[in-house]
Amino acid sequence: MNGVAPSARIVSCKIGDSRLNGMETGVGLARAAIAAVRANVDLVNMSYGEATHTPNAGRFVDVAEQLVRKHDITFVSSAGNEGPALSTVGAPGGTTAAILGVGAWVSAELAAVGHSVREVPPLLDGKDGGIQYTWSSRGPTTDGDVGVDVSAPGGAIAPVPRWSLEKRTLMNGTSMSSPCCCGAIALLIAALKEEGVKASPARIKRIVQATARALGEGAPDATLSSGSGLIDIPAAFEYAMEEEKSDFCAKDAWFEIQVARADGGTPARGIYIRDPSVAFREGDFLVKVVPNVHEEADHLRHRVPMELKVTLKCKEGWVSFPDVLLLTHGGRSFNVRVDPTELGEGLHYTEIQGFDPNTPGPLFKIPITVTVPSIPSDGDGSRIQYSDVPMQAGLVERRFLAVPDGATRAEVTLKTGNFDTSRTYILHIADSKPGKRHTDTSKRHFVTLSPNDAKVFTHAVYPGTTLECTIAQFWGSLGESTVSLEVQFHSMLCSSKSIAIYGPSDMAKVELRTPLLPQELKPDLKLQKLRIPVKPFSHALEPTKGERDLLPDGKRIHFLLLEYKLKLGVAGKVTPILPTINNYVYDGTFEAQMYMVFDTNKRLLAIGDIYPEPVKLAKGTYIVRLMLRHDDPTLLEKYKDHILIFERELEEPISLKCYSRAGNLLTDTDELKSGKMYRGEHRTVFVASPPKDKLPQDAEPGTSLVGKATWTKPTHDSGAATPDSSELIYMVPIKSAVEDEKESSNEAEKKTLSQQLEESLLNATAKFIDDAKLETEEEKVEFLSHVTSILEKYPENIKILSAALEKLVEVGYSGENWERIISVCDSIIACIDADELARYFGTKCVDDGAESTKRKKGFEEKKKALVDALFQKAAAYMERNMYEQFESSFSKLREWEDTEGPKFCMLHAKKEALAENYGLAIKTLNKVIEKPDEQAKKELYQLRQEYFEKLGWVHMVCEESSIILDRFPSSYPLF
């Protein structure tokens, strides 16, 4: 490779997991950081990133901060590709203070040669020589930081893996601009080292930003789009050499900015005035600047003498602040007043910069972003329109709107004017809410429109916030055009965002309101998923092993392994969910949250991590293993009983009925299916619980059914679901103690104390047999001695005999135990009146209450015992190749049961094999083995392998060995 820094030695660390389609994992990130420190690298590039709930926070952010602040590693990372709306920078590059976040810039030359455009768009041919890529993420972060620090070329003809069958290809993204910037900084660090100048991360970041070539000057979003500008390494080197000669005492210090509103609020790193409640009044902010040096720096040489005579400057008159600040190591606070009352609608950005006389560039910057929204005034104050907005390739136009009180959705119509051919646009509709990822509150639409065309988009909105509608003509979509934008707000306010119904006789009372416009009421209430909470049946907290999990500070990473058992009564798509842990990547608490799904044979069926995905599972039992990692074992200890929720998609959604009056609900009359609500109307509706016969059979007590309740439909058929919705929850109630004890108490009333004692002893004996462990030969011998005496005591009790038969089969058919199995089978058969059983099942039974149900249950238990006895007897004869006796037992079995099912598959196969019909035997086994919804037993595969060997099919014997190893591994795979 011949890149920006061709002589650099590269340490390549894989942080993407191939099992997760290359998704980065906390484990990969932590190990890469450890490897970087061990390799004594000078700088790191990382071209991964995700949206974050909380900027500058999380486990990996702490690790990255240690790399930079403690181990003097300059960290460069991509800002993200989620633009062009504001506040779309990703973590860690665009949201972490210690990291240099890089945006993507495209030059006229790259457009012409790399992207092969037929002509260079005029915007790229301006004085900057290029523009920011349309999709490059923009700042600020939700806590006010600028987000993008610098920009670099975001495309290149780059080497690619050989499996692509190409040597090089065009790649673009901030994943390209970041390594370009990193390589350029590598040249700077090498040059400074050659001159004997220290190249600390703090110094490098400050110098690179101070010398970057400003882009888009005059545009209010210039800094938020491209940061300080395009990196300029020669200028940075000259700056560093001049500064080295000066008396500047804080060359390697970094400056922490802490901002808080005077009237309260969340601590921040900049001033971000966005919502209408603060955009039309003055605001006072308390700003604290704290200089920091390396933790091992000498107190007397670096901390005590630090005294900076800082001059504060800002280009805008609507910001008031002190002129000077005497800044010492302990930090200083000062007051800033921002007055947006005279500002026009739209985006406004400025900075307070702090300068020291001994160095030309700013020591620190305090970003100030203000969005002044337009107030919808058309009609009822719910509509706004922007007409004939001129566009051209690469141009970004932003419009900010105050979301009216009560609004729940916006319908945004993008219309094109009269021009020659179609154009490609990005319509980015975005809201910014602290504590939410920008991907949760914004939606980016790529759309190609013809002249005089239109398209409608529906978007959820939050009352009292500012909605950004950004239109960009894609930079490669040539030619001028005009567009118009119309935003119509709608409202269908629901009294609760989460509607819960507790039990079959419960109802939910819901209050609806339409404060903006008349709305069509069209209730659509559906339960779509079953949530099954499961507690772990085992946990293990242990330290990791090996050097790659030993942090540079000597701390050992620990892991908590949790195991869950899921008994799935219905086949379907199932998603394992950790609600408080999932979806947190860089801002998450743990290094790992990986899970693996296995069948009972330890075969791996699915693997997931931060973003769990559904896996299709058949009816049966599954084991899920979950691993959490952290260097603090006391934190992991708190999660040893953590509940894992399994969310199963229902085959058919369950619709709930809605009524205008509670009385109608109780009588099931006049269901509310549609209606019209006038502007300002308040209406109360009642939601009924689902019918019992519609509940899935695995909806056990303690589970819940979840879905969505929508109350209206979009005015325009945009193909999108309406965001006017609430979460719908039906809690499957736990049975009361009275219900649980009702049957047993009724039975107890009819039995004497002696009978109750005898029944308890029988139940205890049956449980002893069921729970007996037969893992060693000693345990088997001891069990046989006990079971012999038990059978002598209860020779005619079907429950005891059936339990004993199951365990005897588990012991095996060798020696005297074969005779015991035959004897127990004969005892069960003798205890059951087959004629009576046949008469019962041959007669149509009418359910006439509890007595009939009890009688039915008794006969079903007898039939099951008889079928099991005949089956095991036939199997025992087959083991001894006693064909005539086998045929006799098997024919009797077929009188009671359809033997084509999986349970009897081996008997059929062995029967064919006795006649040397090995092909038919294999075909019989395949019927079960190849069923996608069955977990076939290992014995079936081994039997099929045996028959392949009988046929002399050596290649199939080898293939079967591989299949058995794959489907029946001896142990679980490593995480």
Side-chain angles (χ1 to χ4, degrees):
M1 292 189 294
N2 188 18
V4 178
S7 298
R9 288 180 294 170
I10 296 175
V11 178
S12 181
C13 299
K14 183 179 179 182
I15 61 173
D17 195 318
S18 301
R19 298 170 298 178
L20 302 169
N21 296 321
M23 173 73 187
E24 71 267 46
T25 65
V27 175
L29 291 164
R31 287 174 175 169
I34 292 168
V37 174
R38 287 226 173 84
N40 197 29
V41 304
D42 293 294
L43 68 169
V44 164
N45 173 74
M46 183 172 143
S47 290
Y48 272 77
E50 300 284 333
T52 183
H53 300 80
T54 310
N56 203 39
R59 174 67 180 154
F60 181 72
V61 171
D62 294 340
V63 172
E65 184 130 349
Q66 283 190 33
L67 286 184
V68 176
R69 308 303 190 200
K70 185 174 181 178
H71 300 286
D72 281 339
I73 298 173
T74 299
F75 201 134
V76 183
S77 185
S78 52
N81 306 324
E82 300 295 329
L86 300 184
S87 301
T88 52
V89 284
T95 62
T96 307
I99 295 176
L100 188 73
V102 186
W105 179 80
V106 56
S107 67
E109 292 84 354
L110 177 59
V113 178
H115 291 279
S116 300
V117 295
R118 56 184 171 83
E119 63 180 75
V120 175
L123 282 180
L124 273 73
D125 235 358
K127 67 172 184 175
D128 290 339
I131 59 170
Q132 209 73 359
Y133 274 103
T134 317
W135 38 255
S136 185
S137 290
R138 268 67 168 181
T141 61
T142 53
D143 66 343
D145 186 65
V146 69
V148 183
D149 293 310
V150 293
S151 289
I157 305 293
V160 291
R162 290 191 177 185
W163 52 257
S164 67
L165 304 183
E166 293 180 298
K167 287 174 61 179
R168 295 187 298 168
T169 191
L170 174 67
M171 306 289 284
N172 59 79
T174 53
S175 292
M176 296 297 290
S177 62
S178 180
C180 178
C181 179
C182 188
I185 292 174
L187 298 177
L188 175 61
I189 292 175
L192 293 178
K193 281 187 173 184
E194 187 74 20
E195 297 295 332
V197 177
K198 185 177 180 181
S200 67
R203 185 187 300 201
I204 292 297
K205 184 173 182 178
R206 179 172 52 80
I207 288 172
V208 166
Q209 286 185 275
T211 57
R213 178 162 61 86
L215 299 171
E217 283 190 271
D221 63 351
T223 302
L224 299 175
S225 297
S226 55
S228 298
L230 191 65
I231 53 170
D232 188 337
I233 295 305
F237 177 72
E238 291 178 13
Y239 185 105
M241 297 306 298
E242 286 300 315
E243 186 180 81
E244 184 67 13
K245 301 172 187 176
S246 71
D247 296 329
F248 181 46
C249 66
K251 296 183 180 74
D252 300 306
W254 65 93
F255 296 84
E256 181 183 352
I257 307 297
Q258 303 170 7
V259 179
R261 288 189 66 93
D263 52 357
T266 307
R269 292 178 293 157
I271 297 173
Y272 192 7
I273 298 174
R274 181 176 175 113
D275 292 338
S277 60
V278 291
F280 298 103
R281 61 183 174 89
E282 292 181 343
D284 287 341
F285 299 84
L286 185 65
V287 178
K288 185 175 184 180
V289 181
V290 182
N292 295 279
V293 294
H294 196 281
E295 63 180 41
E296 295 178 2
D298 184 77
H299 292 322
L300 295 178
R301 290 181 56 202
H302 294 94
R303 290 182 175 85
V304 174
M306 184 176 289
E307 189 173 282
L308 303 170
K309 300 177 180 64
V310 178
T311 302
L312 300 177
K313 296 181 180 180
C314 179
K315 296 179 180 178
E316 301 295 341
W318 41 273
V319 182
S320 304
F321 53 92
D323 293 329
V324 294
L325 183 71
L326 183 63
L327 188 59
T328 58
H329 176 259
R332 289 290 303 279
S333 299
F334 58 94
N335 184 268
V336 174
R337 173 168 289 183
V338 179
D339 182 8
T341 56
E342 299 300 321
L343 297 177
E345 294 178 356
L347 173 65
H348 304 270
Y349 178 84
T350 189
E351 298 170 340
I352 298 175
Q353 299 182 345
F355 292 87
D356 182 273
N358 293 306
T359 187
L363 305 182
F364 58 83
K365 300 175 182 179
I366 301 157
I368 303 173
T369 307
V370 178
T371 60
V372 180
S374 304
I375 306 297
S377 56
D378 293 359
D380 299 311
S382 62
R383 179 176 169 273
I384 194 166
Q385 185 169 353
Y386 304 96
S387 301
D388 300 326
V389 180
M391 301 295 296
Q392 60 175 305
L395 184 64
V396 178
E397 288 287 344
R398 306 181 189 278
R399 299 294 184 267
F400 300 91
L401 301 82
V403 178
D405 180 38
T408 53
R409 78 177 189 274
E411 291 183 357
V412 182
T413 304
L414 180 64
K415 299 178 181 178
T416 54
N418 189 22
F419 45 85
D420 49 5
T421 58
S422 61
R423 304 282 190 272
T424 299
Y425 302 94
I426 299 176
L427 174 61
H428 205 161
I429 310 171
D431 210 335
S432 178
K433 286 181 70 67
K436 283 185 173 288
R437 299 176 301 175
H438 68 78
T439 50
D440 294 331
T441 59
S442 68
K443 182 67 175 177
R444 184 172 59 173
H445 304 275
F446 286 81
V447 56
T448 299
L449 295 177
S450 303
N452 301 307
D453 201 355
K455 192 158 188 178
V456 182
F457 305 90
T458 302
H459 191 80
V461 296
Y462 304 91
T465 62
T466 292
L467 182 69
E468 176 184 357
C469 291
T470 291
I471 316 162
Q473 186 169 319
F474 196 71
W475 75 270
S477 184
L478 303 177
E480 297 181 349
S481 65
T482 58
V483 298
S484 297
L485 191 71
E486 179 184 300
V487 181
Q488 176 67 65
F489 291 101
H490 294 266
S491 67
M492 179 65 80
L493 281 178
C494 179
S495 56
S496 176
K497 295 302 289 182
S498 183
I499 301 169
I501 303 173
Y502 301 92
S505 60
D506 192 27
M507 68 176 76
K509 181 181 178 180
V510 179
E511 295 179 3
L512 303 174
R513 184 165 67 92
T514 51
L516 292 181
L517 295 170
Q519 294 289 326
E520 289 291 333
L521 178 60
K522 193 79 174 174
D524 186 13
L525 303 97
K526 286 187 172 67
L527 297 170
Q528 298 157 319
K529 297 177 181 179
L530 174 70
R531 285 183 180 164
I532 308 168
V534 179
K535 190 176 181 180
F537 67 84
S538 76
H539 66 270
L541 176 58
E542 298 178 19
T544 54
K545 299 175 182 179
E547 294 296 308
R548 64 179 182 171
D549 289 323
L550 183 65
L551 293 170
D553 60 6
K555 286 185 178 180
R556 169 68 65 183
I557 295 172
H558 287 66
F559 71 88
L560 176 65
L561 180 62
L562 301 173
E563 291 186 305
Y564 302 83
K565 182 177 287 186
L566 172 65
K567 293 183 178 179
L568 199 61
V570 178
K573 291 183 178 179
V574 179
T575 308
I577 297 174
L578 295 162
T580 59
I581 297 176
N582 291 150
N583 300 321
Y584 287 85
V585 187
Y586 298 98
D587 52 343
T589 303
F590 298 104
E591 281 177 15
Q593 48 180 285
M594 183 174 283
Y595 66 85
M596 295 182 181
V597 182
F598 301 89
D599 64 15
T600 51
N601 300 315
K602 299 180 182 176
R603 184 189 182 196
L604 179 62
L605 302 176
I607 185 168
D609 199 84
I610 297 157
Y611 304 122
E613 294 185 354
V615 54
K616 192 174 182 180
L617 298 177
K619 178 182 176 181
T621 301
Y622 299 90
I623 303 297
V624 177
R625 309 181 91 218
L626 168 70
M627 182 184 69
L628 303 176
R629 285 175 37 127
H630 202 276
D631 62 1
D632 183 359
T634 60
L635 175 62
L636 293 170
E637 182 74 23
K638 297 176 182 177
Y639 282 79
K640 66 182 183 181
D641 294 319
H642 197 71
I643 299 295
L644 182 61
I645 294 175
F646 293 93
E647 196 171 75
R648 182 179 70 80
E649 297 178 18
L650 301 182
E651 300 85 351
E652 291 290 336
I654 302 171
S655 296
L656 303 188
K657 293 182 178 181
C658 184
Y659 301 86
S660 295
R661 296 180 179 85
N664 295 136
L665 185 150
L666 296 174
T667 58
D668 192 17
T669 55
D670 295 331
E671 179 187 352
L672 177 61
K673 295 184 177 181
S674 64
K676 190 165 185 177
M677 293 180 64
Y678 59 81
R679 180 189 177 193
E681 181 181 356
H682 292 251
R683 183 180 292 197
T684 301
V685 297
F686 299 87
V687 181
S689 59
K692 280 186 178 181
D693 61 342
K694 296 293 184 182
L695 296 179
Q697 65 183 55
D698 53 342
E700 300 288 340
T703 62
S704 60
L705 292 158
V706 297
K708 189 167 69 170
T710 59
W711 304 103
T712 186
K713 298 290 183 185
T715 307
H716 299 276
D717 185 12
S718 61
T722 174
D724 301 279
S725 62
S726 302
E727 183 184 32
L728 193 58
I729 304 173
Y730 174 75
M731 303 297 298
V732 181
I734 297 172
K735 288 183 180 179
S736 67
V738 174
E739 286 179 306
D740 286 337
E741 295 174 6
K742 188 174 181 181
E743 288 186 16
S744 59
S745 64
N746 288 339
E747 292 296 318
E749 289 173 7
K750 301 174 186 177
K751 294 178 181 177
T752 66
L753 286 174
S754 298
Q755 289 172 327
Q756 291 178 43
L757 175 61
E758 181 64 23
E759 185 175 317
S760 298
L761 289 172
L762 279 170
N763 290 335
T765 303
K767 189 175 188 306
F768 163 77
I769 296 173
D770 288 337
D771 295 344
K773 291 186 177 180
L774 306 176
E775 296 174 354
T776 65
E777 286 302 318
E778 291 78 8
E779 287 174 339
K780 291 178 181 179
V781 171
E782 186 180 1
F783 170 76
L784 290 174
S785 67
H786 287 305
V787 84
T788 301
S789 60
I790 290 171
L791 291 174
E792 289 174 357
K793 186 176 179 179
Y794 301 103
E796 297 180 353
N797 187 279
I798 296 174
K799 186 172 185 179
I800 298 293
L801 289 169
S802 296
L805 177 60
E806 186 176 342
K807 282 295 178 181
L808 288 171
V809 171
E810 191 176 332
V811 171
Y813 295 99
S814 60
E816 296 179 0
N817 199 52
W818 182 87
E819 295 174 358
R820 288 192 192 93
I821 292 172
I822 295 293
S823 175
V824 172
C825 289
D826 287 339
S827 297
I828 293 173
I829 294 167
C831 289
I832 297 172
D833 186 340
D835 292 336
E836 182 188 22
L837 204 62
R839 283 195 297 271
Y840 176 81
F841 284 105
T843 307
K844 185 176 180 181
C845 299
V846 180
D847 185 0
D848 56 356
E851 192 62 34
S852 174
T853 303
K854 179 185 172 184
R855 188 162 176 263
K856 180 182 178 183
K857 182 180 178 183
F859 276 109
E860 285 177 343
E861 289 174 351
K862 286 182 181 180
K863 181 183 175 182
K864 182 181 183 303
L866 178 62
V867 168
D868 287 344
L870 290 170
F871 167 62
Q872 295 299 350
K873 188 175 181 180
Y877 284 131
M878 178 61 74
E879 285 295 319
R880 294 288 179 92
N881 292 329
M882 300 170 69
Y883 191 71
E884 289 183 9
Q885 293 87 337
F886 164 78
E887 280 291 353
S888 174
S889 297
F890 196 61
S891 62
K892 290 177 182 178
L893 172 63
R894 294 175 74 173
E895 292 175 6
W896 292 99
E897 192 78 5
D898 178 9
T899 59
E900 294 300 318
K903 181 177 179 180
F904 310 102
C905 172
M906 287 186 70
L907 283 183
H908 278 288
K910 287 181 178 180
K911 179 183 174 183
E912 296 292 353
L914 277 176
E916 297 187 357
N917 297 324
Y918 299 117
L920 290 175
I922 291 169
K923 184 178 180 181
T924 301
L925 294 173
N926 286 344
K927 287 180 181 179
V928 175
I929 289 174
E930 294 174 359
K931 275 189 175 182
D933 56 345
E934 292 285 348
Q935 291 186 30
K937 293 181 178 180
K938 186 176 182 180
E939 290 81 359
L940 297 183
Y941 291 87
Q942 291 172 330
L943 197 59
R944 186 168 69 173
Q945 186 179 36
E946 180 185 325
Y947 297 155
F948 284 141
E949 195 167 0
K950 295 279 189 184
L951 291 167
W953 294 357
V954 179
H955 63 294
M956 293 304 296
V957 174
C958 295
E959 176 70 15
E960 199 70 13
S961 295
S962 299
I963 291 173
I964 291 171
L965 284 173
D966 174 58
R967 299 201 176 187
F968 304 93
S970 58
S971 60
Y972 290 113
L974 298 175
F975 278 91

